[in-house]
């Protein structure tokens, strides 16, 4: 199989997987899910590191480093803020019990 | 692809699986947190791997740049108020889109002059530059709208559709040039047109619809990352980006459906005419307002009360006072429930996050479909800082921006009490007929202040 065909195959299958995994999500989780997906595309950091690592001149290096900073913000911030939102959902139950004992 | 060692390919495959499981986990409450952590692990492993997989130069500056980005990201994520969550998601999405566009531009600058570049690679590069900059500019504008740095109402001017059309034609022409005659300045010009397109795309979108646009731009950024993965020959970018692109598109559709709208209508509805503009002006029609004592009596003698919380409640940080009031009423034998509209807050599911932060017991939160039939038997509905989610215009006024959105049937209750700051229309920018209903009583003031007075008045009874 030729290389572009391999890429196309991966691409098409990934679309179906992406649709399939979230087709049944409750509205309660829409915001965290959007934020979590947002963090995942921060993986562009890998691409930013690659182009910066192969920079041939100062201009390329500077723009590459800017891309690295931006992508890191996207990825790290995205995962942290999603976790912060989800923490609240998990802490809920024991706290509710505590309250009934008060 | 063939130049990448097999062990690296295998690690990337494992990372891609992590991303799939992360999205899967995030769609069920039970596994959501574990899913997110797994996604983070996959991302970290992929980033570490790239340093060993290729001969990366400029190692120290790169590591410093990662550290800087990490610190900014963590501080932003920790410091943000839960009420500002949608803006932050928009901001993170925007910088991701810009990063993808810069990566593609650098890749283009590296390839010009060599000749014989595969046309498809160049097309993917052009795609990444264009969609990445659209996503960046669009996200920044949604940020400005949500942060109220600018009006959250649709912004329209006479030449907008023409300008939009010209920008699209210009972008396509420049993209063709990138493919046929690759030069860096053409790529930069394409990026600039992309920025303009992003702005023109989001300007006509009204406040309540902005979150849907964020979700759509999120999907856009995913696709740019996927295209970037193709250009760089990196499978983890391809799979990760495609997953976000596909799941983001579906999520956008689901969110639009929760508001009873179509995505096309949200994006371009305002261009068709003034119908989605809403009123914006404050009406001087008479309303019935009352003091806290009168409303306390109303609540005290009710046997069933439903509370409809909205963004105004969260902004005023009045959740705790509300919970106290509910506790007092419950202790006196009043049955009280919270009715949560799917799009209460600034984003679908946002209100659940906000109330969870205030530790309102999960069991008292009733979803719209479960509670809507109970309004008929309800004595008093207490609407705190919400407006659009109980606005009957969604059922009765075909031209209204929220027409078709499922709403909470507050109008069916015997009495409706609104706690409102002013008569200003809600986030969607339209007047609420329910405010002028003879069954309705208004208590003006800051939600926390009003609830505090109400609580004291109920206690005094």
């Amino acid at each position: 199989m030729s290389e572009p065909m391999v890429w196309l195959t991966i691409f098409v299958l990934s679309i179906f997987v992406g649709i399939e995994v979230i087709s049944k999500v409750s509205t309660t989780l829409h915001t965290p899910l959007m934020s979590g997906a947002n963090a995942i595309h921060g993986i562009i950091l890998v691409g930013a590191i690659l182009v910066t690592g192969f920079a041939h001149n100062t201009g390329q290096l500077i723009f590459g480093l800017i891309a690295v900073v931006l992508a890191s913000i996207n990825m790290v911030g995205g995962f942290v803020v999603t976790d912060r939102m989800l923490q609240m959902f998990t802490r809920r139950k024991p706290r509710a019990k505590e309250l009934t004992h008060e | 692809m063939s130049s990448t060692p097999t062990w690296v390919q295998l690690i990337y495959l494992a990372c891609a699986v992590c991303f799939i499981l992360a999205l899967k986990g995030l769609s069920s409450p039970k596994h959501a947190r574990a899913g997110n952590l797994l996604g983070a692990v996959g991302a970290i492993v992929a980033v570490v791997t790239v340093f060993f997989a290729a001969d990366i130069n400029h190692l120290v500056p790169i590591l410093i740049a990662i550290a800087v980005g990490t610190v900014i990201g963590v501080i932003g994520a920790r410091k943000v108020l839960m009420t500002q969550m949608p803006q932050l998601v928009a901001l993170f999405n925007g910088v991701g889109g810009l990063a993808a566009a810069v990566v593609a531009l650098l890749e283009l600058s590296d390839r010009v002059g060599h000749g014989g570049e595969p046309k498809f690679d160049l097309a993917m590069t052009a795609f990444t530059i264009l969609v990445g900059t659209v996503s960046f500019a669009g996200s920044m504008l949604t940020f400005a709208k949500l942060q109220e740095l600018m009006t959250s109402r649709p912004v329209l001017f006479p030449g907008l559709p023409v300008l939009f059309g010209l920008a699209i034609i210009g972008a396509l022409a420049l993209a063709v040039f990138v493919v046929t005659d690759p030069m860096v300045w053409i790529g930069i010009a394409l990026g600039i047109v992309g920025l303009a397109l992003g702005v023109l795309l989001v300007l006509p979108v009204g406040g309540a619809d902005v979150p849907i646009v964020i979700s759509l731009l999120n999907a856009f950024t995913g696709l740019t990352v996927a295209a970037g993965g193709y250009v760089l020959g990196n499978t983890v970018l391809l799979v990760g980006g495609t997953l976000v692109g596909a799941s983001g598109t579906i999520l956008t559709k689901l969110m639009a459906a929760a508001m009873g709208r179509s995505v096309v209508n949200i994006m371009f509805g305002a261009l068709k005419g003034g119908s989605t503009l809403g009123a914006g002006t404050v009406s001087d029609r008479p309303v019935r307002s009352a003091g806290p004592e009168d409303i306390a009596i109303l609540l005290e003698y009710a046997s069933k009360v439903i509370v409809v919380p909205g963004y105004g409640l969260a902004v005023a940080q009045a959740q705790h006072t509300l919970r106290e009031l509910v506790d007092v009423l419950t202790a006196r034998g009043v049955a009280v429930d919270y009715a949560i509209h799917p799009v209460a807050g600034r984003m679908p599911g946002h209100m659940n996050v906000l109330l969870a932060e205030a530790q309102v017991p999960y069991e008292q939160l009733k979803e719209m479909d479960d509670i809507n039939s109970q309004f008929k038997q309800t004595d008093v509905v207490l609407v705190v800082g919400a407006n659009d989610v109980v606005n009957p215009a969604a059922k009765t006024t075909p031209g209204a921006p929220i027409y078709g959105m499922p709403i909470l049937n507050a109008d069916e209750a015997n009495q409706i009490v609104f706690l409102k700051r002013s008569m200003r229309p809600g986030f969607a920018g339209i007047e609420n007929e329910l405010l002028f209903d003879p069954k309705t009583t208004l208590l003006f003031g800051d939600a926390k202040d009003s609830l505090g007075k109400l609580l004291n008045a109920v206690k005094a009874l």
Side-chain angles (χ1 to χ4, degrees), chain A residues 13-30:
Chain A
L13 294 182
S14 300
I15 289 177
F16 278 94
V17 173
I19 292 171
E20 198 54 40
V21 286
I22 70 140
S23 53
K24 294 172 287 285
V25 52
S26 83
T27 46
T28 311
L29 283 170
H30 277 178

Side-chain angles (χ1 to χ4, degrees), chain A residues 3-4 6-7 10-11 14-15 17-38 40-41 43-56 59-61 63-65 67-93 95-96 99, chain B residues 1 20 26-29 32-33 36 39-40 43 46-47 50 55-58 61-62 65-66 69-70 72-74 77-78 80 82 85 88-89 92-93 95-96 98-100 102-103 106-107 109-110 215 218 221 225 229-230 232-235 237-239 242-244 246-247 250-251 254-255 342 347-350 352-353 356-357 359 362 367:
Chain A
E3 204 167 271
V6 175
W7 284 99
I10 299 173
F11 178 68
S14 300
I15 289 177
V17 173
I19 292 171
E20 198 54 40
V21 286
I22 70 140
S23 53
K24 294 172 287 285
V25 52
S26 83
T27 46
T28 311
L29 283 170
H30 277 178
T31 299
L33 181 63
M34 192 204 298
S35 176
N38 191 359
I40 289 177
H41 68 52
I43 195 66
I44 188 64
L45 176 57
V46 168
I49 292 169
L50 280 172
V51 291
T52 313
F54 295 123
H56 299 305
Q60 285 182 340
L61 180 62
F63 278 100
L65 290 173
V68 171
V69 173
L70 294 174
S72 311
I73 294 174
N74 182 195
M75 191 171 102
V76 179
F79 281 120
V80 174
V81 87
T82 309
D83 190 59
R84 234 187 100 192
M85 271 191 254
L86 293 170
Q87 248 176 349
M88 288 164 190
F89 286 98
T90 49
R91 238 198 273 131
R92 227 181 228 169
K93 290 257 158 139
R95 173 72 194 178
L99 283 172
Chain B
M1 195 166 160
I20 294 169
L26 277 163
S27 50
S28 88
R33 201 167 171 211
N36 184 53
V47 170
V50 78
D55 293 320
I56 303 285
N57 299 317
H58 317 294
I62 290 175
I66 292 175
T70 301
I72 297 173
V74 169
R78 288 262 159 105
V80 69
M82 280 295 149
M85 198 58 74
L88 189 75
V89 173
F92 285 159
N93 178 54
V95 294
L98 185 61
V102 173
V103 167
L106 287 171
E107 192 62 18
S109 79
D110 214 32
S215 179
N218 190 25
T221 307
V225 172
Y230 180 86
L232 294 166
N234 190 300
T235 45
L237 293 192
L238 178 75
V239 177
T242 310
L243 285 172
V244 177
S247 59
I250 295 299
L251 187 59
L254 289 173
M255 284 166 64
M347 236 193 232
H350 192 198
N352 301 67
V353 177
E357 191 198 18
Q359 278 137 3
Y362 192 47
E367 292 200 16

Side-chain angles (χ1 to χ4, degrees), chain B residues 279-365:
Chain B
T281 48
V282 176
S283 167
D284 53 2
R285 285 161 66 191
V287 291
R288 196 158 60 109
S289 70
E293 294 77 17
D294 304 310
I295 292 166
I297 294 168
L298 217 56
L299 291 173
E300 166 83 14
Y301 291 99
S303 53
K304 185 169 173 56
V305 170
I306 293 179
V307 179
V308 178
Y311 184 74
L313 169 84
V315 169
Q317 289 291 311
Q319 306 93 321
H320 297 275
T321 320
L322 175 64
R323 206 189 64 204
E324 231 180 299
L325 176 68
V326 170
D327 286 349
V328 173
L329 289 173
T330 311
R332 299 198 184 173
V334 184
V336 189
D337 282 313
Y338 294 84
I340 310 295
H341 190 277
V343 299
R346 281 290 187 264
M347 236 193 232
H350 192 198
M351 185 51 63
N352 301 67
V353 177
L354 296 171
L355 291 180
E357 191 198 18
Q359 278 137 3
V360 171
Y362 192 47
E363 303 80 62
Q364 287 181 4
L365 305 181

